[in-house]
Amino acid sequence: MDLIDLASERLGGAVLWASDDFFAEKENLLKPYPAIWKEHEYTDRGKWMDGWESRRKRTAGHDTAYVRLGARGVIRSVIVDTSYFRGNFPEACAISGVSLSPNATVDELHAAQWQEVIPRTPLQAHQANIIAVDNPYAFTHLRFEIFPDGGVARLRVHGEIVPDWHPVGGIGGEVDLAAVENGGDVLACSDMFFGPKHNLIMPGRAVNMSDGWETRRSRGPHSDWVVVHLAAEGIVRRLEVDTNHFKGNFPDTCMIEGSADGEHYVELLPRTKLQAHTRHYFRDELVARGPFTHLRLNVYPDGGVSRLRVWASATDVGRGAVVVRWLNTHTDAERELLSCCASTRWARAVAEARPFASWNELLEVADRTWWSLSPDDWHEAFRAHPRIGECKAAARFASEEQSGTRGAAETTMQALDEGNRAYEERFGHVFLICATGRSADEMLASLRERMNNQADAELRVAAEEQRKITALRLQKLVL
């Protein structure tokens, strides 16, 4: 399986709760190594087993465990490994998912609205039961149910990471676009005999030599390579190549190339000497910065690299792609869209139009849907806006949008207040303007000019301002 294990402990995966783990602890489910067997090994509760095992159920019902994924993602397949559970494996299992805060409590999970990921599916004893998944949504937590009881050695949840960029400060600043937790991926490599390619982008520094990407020894002229797909198109600011723990087997030199399409590469970092067991930082040495979507690390002639960090700023194209991916996989997209435009019909229609192939398609659908609505729908959206100059701090976007009123003269703010009230009395809705980048004086001048409009014409003007606001807010959904 070439996809990331979303439940991996290395990413922060954990079993938070189990209805019963009398014979073997729930934490064993996510251990990174294969299950083992210990002949004649017993505890005071029974045979020692390397997995999660509940007692024999003597009442109605079944057993359940809650798993927090290490990374939010779309699940493509699950492995329910019953190794060494022969006469005590569950008859069947089922998995449901939900998208919540990573810090969600067990009580919140008990009360969650779970969505089916895998229906009740029969299991076989002492084998890796591979179950394909066809669900387009991204989840943070899983409810793993076994029927009626028994033991499972390991649970692997393979999929594609769809990060929530809020914890890392959004996609406007400098972010490690190669990091697995941010949505980076390793597509291919020339060799990974001693260390898997995905180790290269795992969190933290490597714990030992096995926790990096390492190729076999070559003979003669040779170089090895690995291709990383960045989480978003970005402008590279600095690079880090870490050879931690690689002392007698680090590459002699490396060279890094960048690509905007995954096919055509240009030199980003010239061929550079490396040292053993060292974090190498490169900034001024970069001869190109992108924008890039892919990077290729070339090592000469072979050896091991523990981590590659690509600190970059996402471009507008990259930001749009992240928003589309995030929105396409969101289980409650309608609620998120309502924060951009408070028209119920608009949010529902745009959510139902998913999946979107591109940022431009999302904007096209959003605009087309908006102009197809009735004036009543427009007014519903208008009512969600505070008056200019009266922005509430709790508003998700409005405080930043109205930053131009900060520090404005008291006379200007008083005139805005009077103008807002006069406008509402004349037109029956709040004065709406795409305030981003405008000063208080500019907004006041626009308000006074628009007071001369006819009601029907002004309604269309306000609707156009809402359309502009919505487009800007859509781009900020994951900030």
Side-chain angles (χ1 to χ4, degrees), residues 227-243:
V227 174
V228 176
H229 186 196
L230 302 180
E233 181 187 85
I235 304 295
V236 178
R237 304 301 181 187
R238 54 194 172 99
L239 297 170
E240 177 185 336
V241 177
D242 191 356
T243 57

Side-chain angles (χ1 to χ4, degrees), residues 196-218:
K197 62 184 188 296
H198 278 117
N199 284 349
L200 199 63
I201 59 173
M202 285 293 167
R205 296 195 75 194
V207 297
N208 54 41
M209 202 170 67
S210 71
D211 192 21
W213 167 58
E214 184 184 1
T215 68
R216 74 188 77 202
R217 298 187 188 209
S218 63

Side-chain angles (χ1 to χ4, degrees), residues 398-466:
S399 179
E400 178 186 349
E401 292 166 351
Q402 295 192 26
S403 61
T405 61
R406 297 172 194 160
E410 184 176 345
T411 54
T412 300
M413 296 306 297
Q414 184 176 349
L416 267 174
D417 180 63
E418 294 171 355
N420 279 327
R421 298 179 191 280
Y423 179 96
E424 291 169 22
E425 184 176 344
R426 171 164 167 70
F427 296 113
H429 58 80
V430 68
F431 170 65
L432 203 63
I433 187 169
C434 185
T436 301
R438 294 175 183 261
S439 69
D441 288 321
E442 288 174 320
M443 289 185 277
L444 177 59
S446 180
L447 187 154
R448 288 171 171 168
E449 180 182 353
R450 285 166 56 181
M451 284 290 288
N452 297 317
N453 288 341
Q454 296 298 314
D456 288 347
E458 178 56 26
L459 179 62
R460 298 286 298 185
V461 171
E464 170 61 16
E465 295 300 310
Q466 173 66 66

Side-chain angles (χ1 to χ4, degrees), residues 19-20 54-63 146 148-150:
S19 57
D20 185 312
S54 64
R55 73 192 83 194
R56 300 188 189 213
K57 194 162 291 296
R58 302 308 189 193
T59 58
H62 62 277
D63 286 311
I146 56 174
D149 52 42

Side-chain angles (χ1 to χ4, degrees), residues 268-270 272 281-289:
L268 170 60
L269 175 70
T272 302
Y281 299 98
F282 305 107
R283 182 194 299 270
D284 296 337
E285 299 88 344
L286 305 186
V287 296
R289 296 187 181 271

